[in-house]
Amino acid sequence: MLMQTYEARLDGLRKELGRRGLDGFVIPISDEHMSEYVGSYAQRLKWLTGFGGSAGSAAVLKDRAAMFTDGRYTVQVREQVDGKLYDYEDVPATSPAKWIAEHAPEGAKIGYDAWLHGIGWAEDAEKLFAKKGIELVPVEGNPIDAIWDDRPQASLAAAVPHADEHAGRSSADKRAEVADWLKREGYDATVISALDSVAWLLNMRGEDVDNTPVALSYVLAHADGTAELFIAPEKVTPALTQHLGNAVTVRDRDDFQPALAGLAGKSVAVDPNHAVAGIFHALEAGGAKVVRTDDPTVLPKAIKNPAEQQGHRDAQARDGAAVSRFLRWLSIEAPKGGVDELTAAAKLREFREASGVLKDASFDTISAAGPHAALPHYKVDEDSNIAIPPSSIYLVDSGGQYLDGTTDITRTVWVGPGEPSAEMVERNTRVLKGHIQLDMQKFPDRTTGGALDALARMHLWNGGVDYGHGTGHGVGSFLSVHEGPQRISKPGGAFPGTETPLREGMILSNEPGYYKAGAYGIRIENLVLVVPAGIESEGNYLGFETLTFVPLDRRLVDKGLLSPAEIGWWNTYHAKVWDILSPQLEGEDLAWLKAECAPL
């Protein structure tokens, strides 16, 4: 019998835990690869609680339960999760482990799925629980799966080769680089478990996860240059087999855990930031010597080669034309009052699909009207959808997946009639000044993203305001829109990668913002490529090449607050917008573009 209500599902989980002799259980948003986006088969937290955000977790005890989210989801979690069933807990003020240690009785056995949690979380929770006389127990089979009768199956879509013309390097070349690293470090093998790392290493893509073109699989890469791919047999085509060649052995995904257990005596490198605790447990139980170190594919994946760089430019130009057509359409239709957030997002998708080469969105479009724009990670659905009010700010953060690149752009526009308030214009201009400051900055090679973050905030800080998210994240090449290891964010914050040195060839976002709760929000986002600075310098200096070209809304800019250099940036930027986009547009779209690109 299907459990239709969230109360019935919670009760069913408690009964299942009781059958297993467990007093509690921890439920993260995760899959076996610690992915940012997970397939429908792995949406256990959403099925249990109703929470649809991208970051959060729950803890269930016999007599109480709690939901754990950070400040991005304070409003959303209360709209989607029943407060009579779950306490609302704020991260990082607390955590599931801390909450359990406080509320579970001494002697309690708390279950967790070791194939959904990182090893660091498991070890920290175990230590914390031990002080309270609580035992952390890895489960055999997830108890939610045992009661989720209509749970979707994992995707069996075919995995496909990713052409060398887009990848810029052959898979054999990449595997040789990993093998050289293994030999240099004295390791026998390494586990590649992050889906985008597997995809990059093998020049393979898939359709198993929304927004990210990856295939559910693992790789064991060996020091002799060979590799083992663990993937469902139904996903393997003759074309993929031919592409992989003789040096890659294709094995059933179900063989992965036994294969780990069979590496007795081998020195195996595993990245604790990308591999679940279950991988470590299987290796250690089998007698392997486990070395915790960085995934050797992460840095070379982040440093884009010339083919990937040009692919990004081409994808951005194509994407920019689609976004511009959308913004012109919006400028005509939204002031009439008949456009809502979902309609706008669908229309933007339609413009992107008109290129004929869009593969997917790179993330769920943030189509945010009025007060929703003040929620940086807002996700519109049928329940939250509102009309875009005339005389208001509208924020749209979106991206596309193309064979030659991944895009991510945010534009904030004024929806007429009338004029934006003086405060709106002043705040947007400060955001713009920060965006320009970061875009124009030159810096020594290997400067960290953390060292640059304040540049994007300085003009907001001088106005007594700030924003609560990072300034920039890495972006993949027809891969994850949020890619490490680099990041531009406040040092010492919650985001990994802030201390990663920036290198030539890395792609990042530049996206300062401002958010007035309950009123409006502003964000300006372009993607940038780290390139040689092109200045006389003592040592190697770097700068940014802008990749994203779509007009910015001049109605939200106070020219009087801009310096001559900033006005020069604006005019140069829009001249290039015109050069890149005008050959792709015609008629009224072209006329709109010309007006938007006129000098400030």
Side-chain angles (χ1 to χ4, degrees):
M1 181 177 176
L2 297 180
M3 299 181 187
Q4 301 294 347
T5 69
Y6 294 114
E7 183 175 13
R9 293 172 184 180
L10 180 59
D11 181 61
L13 175 59
R14 285 183 167 130
K15 289 176 179 175
E16 178 64 22
L17 295 177
R19 283 191 286 272
R20 298 180 182 216
L22 296 172
D23 301 293
F25 190 64
V26 184
I27 307 98
I29 299 174
S30 184
D31 63 8
E32 305 90 331
H33 307 273
M34 295 179 68
S35 305
E36 177 181 14
Y37 301 112
V38 302
S40 58
Y41 80 97
Q43 292 280 1
R44 297 176 179 90
L45 185 67
K46 185 176 184 180
W47 178 84
L48 180 70
T49 68
F51 178 66
S54 62
S57 55
V60 174
L61 298 175
K62 288 182 176 180
D63 58 348
R64 66 192 305 171
M67 275 292 309
F68 301 83
T69 56
D70 61 29
R72 294 174 292 173
Y73 298 106
T74 301
V75 175
Q76 183 175 340
V77 72
R78 285 163 173 78
E79 291 178 346
Q80 295 178 330
V81 179
D82 190 342
K84 296 192 293 292
L85 302 177
Y86 296 89
D87 298 338
Y88 304 123
E89 298 289 341
D90 295 324
V91 175
T94 188
S95 69
K98 290 178 183 176
W99 184 87
I100 289 170
E102 180 180 349
H103 295 290
E106 184 176 353
K109 295 180 184 295
I110 305 299
Y112 80 107
D113 188 336
W115 288 89
L116 299 179
H117 290 270
I119 188 67
W121 180 90
E123 291 175 344
D124 289 346
E126 194 170 36
K127 290 175 186 174
L128 178 62
F129 289 175
K131 296 176 183 177
K132 302 283 188 173
I134 298 169
E135 183 181 357
L136 183 65
V137 182
V139 298
E140 287 292 331
N142 194 296
I144 290 179
D145 298 351
I147 61 170
W148 187 357
D149 293 328
D150 57 345
R151 179 180 171 226
Q153 295 297 307
S155 167
L156 294 178
V160 298
H162 186 55
D164 287 1
E165 66 177 289
H166 297 308
R169 294 176 64 188
S170 69
S171 174
D173 182 46
K174 295 175 180 179
R175 296 196 309 273
E177 181 181 356
V178 171
D180 288 344
W181 174 80
L182 288 168
K183 286 181 282 193
R184 190 167 60 248
E185 299 295 329
Y187 308 143
D188 296 302
T190 183
V191 175
I192 307 295
S193 58
L195 295 178
D196 63 333
S197 291
V198 172
W200 179 87
L201 180 64
L202 298 183
N203 285 352
M204 178 182 77
R205 299 294 189 266
E207 300 178 2
D208 294 347
V209 177
D210 288 346
N211 307 316
T212 310
V214 292
L216 294 171
S217 52
Y218 300 95
V219 162
L220 265 178
H222 300 279
D224 62 2
T226 64
E228 298 170 81
L229 169 65
F230 297 85
I231 187 169
E234 297 90 340
K235 303 173 69 62
V236 180
T237 65
L240 181 67
T241 302
Q242 181 180 4
H243 164 74
L244 294 172
N246 294 331
V248 179
T249 302
V250 180
R251 302 181 59 180
D252 194 310
R253 180 176 162 89
D254 292 341
D255 292 338
F256 178 60
Q257 188 171 351
L260 297 178
L263 292 171
K266 301 289 186 181
S267 177
V268 183
V270 189
D271 189 337
N273 296 312
H274 294 97
V276 294
I279 290 173
F280 290 87
H281 295 169
L283 286 167
E284 290 162 358
K289 178 186 176 185
V290 181
V291 181
R292 299 186 185 191
T293 189
D294 291 341
D295 177 338
T297 71
V298 166
L299 187 58
K301 171 161 53 70
I303 299 173
K304 306 299 185 274
N305 59 52
E308 291 173 315
Q309 293 177 26
Q310 188 56 47
H312 264 277
R313 295 185 188 99
D314 295 342
Q316 298 288 349
R318 186 187 312 119
D319 198 68
V323 176
S324 295
R325 290 188 185 101
F326 166 75
L327 291 177
R328 188 195 76 84
W329 171 87
L330 187 80
S331 72
I332 296 168
E333 298 300 327
K336 300 174 184 176
V339 179
D340 60 33
E341 293 168 330
L342 282 176
T343 302
K347 192 69 177 181
L348 177 52
R349 174 76 179 229
E350 183 181 313
F351 281 114
R352 282 195 167 104
E353 288 177 336
S355 70
V357 293
L358 181 74
K359 294 297 183 181
D360 197 356
S362 58
F363 57 97
D364 291 332
T365 295
I366 298 173
S367 176
H372 286 166
L375 305 171
H377 297 268
Y378 173 69
K379 181 180 177 181
V380 60
D381 57 26
E382 293 288 350
D383 294 328
S384 68
N385 183 39
I386 61 171
I388 300 174
S391 305
S392 70
I393 275 178
Y394 171 72
L395 184 154
V396 58
D397 186 351
S398 68
Q401 291 284 10
Y402 305 91
L403 285 176
D404 47 2
T406 298
T407 70
D408 183 1
I409 173 175
T410 306
R411 288 295 181 265
T412 304
V413 298
W414 173 252
V415 175
E419 299 296 327
S421 70
E423 181 191 78
M424 290 173 175
V425 172
E426 188 259 355
R427 295 290 193 257
N428 184 81
T429 306
R430 288 185 183 276
V431 172
L432 173 65
K433 287 168 72 71
H435 180 95
I436 294 172
Q437 185 69 51
L438 182 59
D439 186 88
M440 295 176 64
Q441 187 63 45
K442 315 300 182 187
F443 49 91
D445 189 13
R446 308 302 173 89
T447 296
T448 67
L452 299 178
D453 180 76
L455 296 169
R457 300 178 191 270
M458 58 187 290
H459 298 288
L460 289 162
W461 286 351
N462 287 337
V465 293
D466 196 5
Y467 53 94
H469 55 74
T471 299
H473 56 81
V475 178
S477 287
F478 190 42
L479 273 178
S480 175
V481 74
H482 297 140
E483 179 182 270
Q486 73 275 19
R487 187 177 184 90
I488 301 174
S489 190
K490 290 181 181 180
F495 303 110
T498 304
E499 300 307 318
T500 297
L502 301 187
R503 302 197 189 193
E504 182 181 343
M506 288 180 168
I507 292 176
L508 300 107
S509 63
N510 172 2
E511 51 179 312
Y514 168 74
Y515 309 94
K516 185 171 185 177
Y520 64 90
I522 295 162
R523 187 160 63 253
I524 299 173
E525 178 185 18
N526 288 341
L527 299 189
V528 294
L529 171 69
V530 181
V531 296
I535 59 173
E536 289 189 17
S537 59
E538 296 180 0
N540 187 25
Y541 271 63
L542 302 173
F544 294 122
E545 172 194 333
T546 304
L547 295 173
T548 306
F549 291 98
V550 170
L552 298 161
D553 193 338
R554 64 184 55 225
R555 294 168 295 179
L556 288 166
V557 176
D558 182 349
K559 184 179 176 181
L561 294 177
L562 299 181
S563 69
E566 291 165 342
I567 293 172
W569 181 95
W570 176 282
N571 290 336
T572 300
Y573 176 77
H574 284 88
K576 194 159 186 181
V577 170
W578 172 258
D579 289 343
I580 290 172
L581 300 188
S582 60
Q584 304 180 68
L585 302 179
E586 57 187 19
E588 293 182 357
D589 289 333
L590 188 63
W592 175 88
L593 183 71
K594 187 173 184 178
E596 293 297 312
C597 291
L600 192 64

